[in-house]
C-alpha cells in the first residue's frame, strides 16, 4: 500500500491465530496498551505515506526541469544506470532521472528499513516492468517517455494522498471504538464482580437487561467497524486477495482484525454473564 511491494505484501496476520477467545482481556491497562500500539502503528504509517507523497511530488518537479531532447553523450554510464549491464552511452536525461529518483523517492527516511530496493527494482515496483526497462535499458529520455513518467508519478502521489485520507478515517474509527471498548471493559468488570447469589429476582433481571443492552451496543460497533473496513476497500480499490487496511496496519497484533476480535471476545463474555444471571434467576 506504499512504495514498492515488500512491506505491503507482509501479511503477518496469515501466520497468527484469530481466535477471539484468546484475544481479549478485561484488564483495562492491557486493553489500553493494545489500543495504543495500534494507534502507534497507524501514526507511523501515516507519517511514511506523507513522506512518500512529498517525495513523488518532488520527483515530478525535478522531472519537469529535465531536458529530454539531449542525445547520448558517449559517456559510459550504463553501469551507473543498470547495475551489472554492459557499459553503454546514455543521455544525460536518463542520468538526471535516476539522480532525481534516488534523491527523492529513494531517500525517504524509512526506505532502507522497509524496501531496500535497487533503482531498477523500485522502478518496476512503482511504474511497472515496461517503464523500468525504458529508464534502465534505454539510451535516451524522449519527450513521450518523460510525459508518461510524469503522469505516472502524479498518480502515485495521488494514491498516497488517498491513502492518507483513508488513514485519517481509520484514526477516527479507532478512536471511537477504543473509547467504547474501555467503557465496556469497566462495566464488564463491575458486572463480573457482582454477587448474583445474594440478589433478588428484580436485581438479577436488571443485570440481565443491562447485559443485553451492552451486547446490542457491541453488535452495533461490530457492524459499524465492518462498514468502515468495507468502505476502505472500496476507496483504495483493494483486490479481494490483498490485505485490507486493518490487516496491513495491525499485522503485529495477534488477530487480523483486532478491534473486531476484541468486540467478539466481549460479546462472548456478555453471553457467559447472561447465562450465569439467568441460572441464578431460575433458582429464585
Amino acid at each position: 500500500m506504499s512504495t514498492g511491494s515488500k512491506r505491503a505484501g507482509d501479511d503477518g496476520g496469515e501466520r497468527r491465530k484469530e481466535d477471539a477467545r484468546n484475544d481479549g482481556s478485561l484488564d483495562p491497562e492491557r486493553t489500553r496498551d493494545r489500543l495504543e500500539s495500534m494507534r502507534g502503528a497507524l501514526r507511523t504509517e501515516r507519517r511514511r505515506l506523507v513522506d512518500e507523497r512529498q517525495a513523488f511530488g518532488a520527483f515530478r518537479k525535478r522531472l519537469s526541469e529535465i531536458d529530454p531532447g539531449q542525445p547520448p553523450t558517449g559517456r559510459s554510464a550504463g553501469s551507473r544506470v543498470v547495475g551489472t549491464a554492459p557499459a553503454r552511452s546514455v543521455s544525460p536525461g536518463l542520468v538526471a532521472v535516476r539522480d532525481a529518483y534516488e534523491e527523492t523517492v529513494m531517500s525517504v527516511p524509512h526506505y532502507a528499513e522497509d524496501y531496500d530496493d535497487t533503482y531498477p527494482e523500485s522502478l518496476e515496483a512503482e511504474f511497472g516492468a515496461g517503464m523500468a526497462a525504458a529508464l534502465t535499458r534505454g539510451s535516451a529520455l524522449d519527450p513521450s517517455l518523460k510525459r508518461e513518467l510524469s503522469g505516472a508519478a502524479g498518480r502515485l502521489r495521488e494514491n498516497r494522498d488517498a491513502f492518507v485520507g483513508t488513514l485519517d478515517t481509520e484514526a477516527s474509527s479507532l478512536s471511537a471504538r477504543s473509547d467504547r471498548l474501555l467503557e465496556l471493559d469497566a462495566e464488564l468488570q463491575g458486572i463480573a464482580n457482582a454477587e448474583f447469589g445474594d440478589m433478588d429476582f428484580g436485581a438479577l433481571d436488571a443485570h440481565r437487561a443491562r447485559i443485553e443492552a451492552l451486547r446490542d451496543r457491541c453488535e452495533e460497533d461490530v457492524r459499524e467497524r465492518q462498514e468502515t473496513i468495507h468502505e476502505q476497500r472500496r476507496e483504495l480499490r483493494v483486490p479481494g486477495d490483498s490485505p485490507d487496511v486493518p490487516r496491513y496496519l495491525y499485522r503485529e497484533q495477534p488477530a487480523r482484525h483486532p478491534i473486531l476480535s476484541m468486540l467478539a471476545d466481549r460479546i462472548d463474555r456478555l453471553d457467559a454473564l447472561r447465562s450465569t444471571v439467568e441460572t441464578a434467576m431460575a433458582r429464585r
Side-chain angles (χ1 to χ4, degrees):
M1 291 187 185
S2 40
T3 304
S5 58
K6 294 182 181 178
R7 183 152 57 97
D10 177 18
D11 181 17
E14 294 291 353
R15 299 186 300 275
R16 299 184 180 94
K17 293 181 179 179
E18 196 174 3
D19 185 348
R21 293 169 181 79
N22 294 332
D23 187 47
S25 170
L26 292 185
D27 179 359
E29 287 303 315
R30 182 182 175 192
T31 301
R32 193 173 287 107
D33 288 346
R34 290 199 60 198
L35 293 169
E36 181 54 37
S37 174
M38 293 165 63
R39 282 190 287 267
L42 197 157
R43 286 192 299 267
T44 296
E45 183 63 21
R46 189 185 190 282
R47 183 176 64 250
R48 289 173 171 176
L49 281 164
V50 168
D51 287 343
E52 293 175 14
R53 180 183 65 187
Q54 293 173 341
F56 277 107
F59 171 64
R60 197 170 185 226
K61 184 177 184 302
R62 289 273 298 270
L63 184 62
S64 69
E65 300 167 353
I66 297 173
D67 181 2
Q70 300 180 51
T73 62
R75 172 184 171 196
S76 292
S79 60
R80 183 164 177 264
V81 176
V82 232
T84 59
R88 53 179 169 70
S89 296
V90 297
S91 71
L94 285 180
V95 174
V97 167
R98 174 167 182 161
D99 289 342
Y101 192 81
E102 289 180 335
E103 292 165 11
T104 55
V105 176
M106 294 180 70
S107 291
V108 293
H110 58 279
Y111 191 85
E113 177 185 352
D114 282 351
Y115 312 117
D116 201 24
D117 286 340
T118 64
Y119 175 62
E121 288 171 341
S122 182
L123 288 178
E124 183 169 350
E126 294 293 356
F127 299 98
M131 180 71 73
L135 293 171
T136 59
R137 300 175 193 169
S139 59
L141 177 69
D142 60 61
S144 62
L145 177 59
K146 178 182 174 180
R147 285 193 299 271
E148 185 180 354
L149 180 60
S150 178
R155 289 189 293 275
L156 288 168
R157 184 190 181 283
E158 291 169 0
N159 289 344
R160 264 58 173 194
D161 192 54
F163 197 13
V164 168
T166 298
L167 292 190
D168 289 341
T169 301
E170 172 65 13
S172 297
S173 176
L174 178 59
S175 178
R177 300 287 82 74
S178 296
D179 291 343
R180 297 279 282 267
L181 277 167
L182 292 170
E183 293 170 3
L184 178 61
D185 279 5
E187 289 215 48
L188 273 170
Q189 276 191 319
I191 296 172
N193 292 335
E195 295 293 339
F196 299 128
D198 298 333
M199 295 180 185
D200 60 25
F201 188 91
L204 290 169
D205 192 42
H207 272 85
R208 180 176 64 176
R210 183 56 184 156
I211 289 169
E212 290 176 346
L214 290 173
R215 194 186 191 287
D216 288 344
R217 194 175 77 176
C218 281
E219 293 282 7
E220 179 185 352
D221 284 343
V222 167
R223 286 192 295 273
E224 290 179 357
R225 182 61 178 160
Q226 289 173 332
E227 288 173 2
T228 297
I229 293 170
H230 294 156
E231 181 60 28
Q232 289 168 348
R233 293 192 76 98
R234 286 193 294 270
E235 288 176 353
L236 297 176
R237 298 178 183 177
V238 177
D241 58 347
S242 297
D244 53 31
V245 171
R247 287 173 61 188
Y248 173 68
L249 285 176
Y250 312 129
R251 53 194 177 275
E252 299 304 322
Q253 293 290 321
R256 296 179 186 177
H257 295 90
I259 292 294
L260 289 176
S261 183
M262 285 190 279
L263 286 168
D265 177 77
R266 273 60 178 179
I267 289 172
D268 284 350
R269 291 172 186 268
L270 287 164
D271 286 344
L273 282 171
R274 182 175 58 186
S275 177
T276 299
V277 170
E278 289 175 344
T279 297
M281 292 173 70
R283 292 171 180 166
R284 293 297 180 268

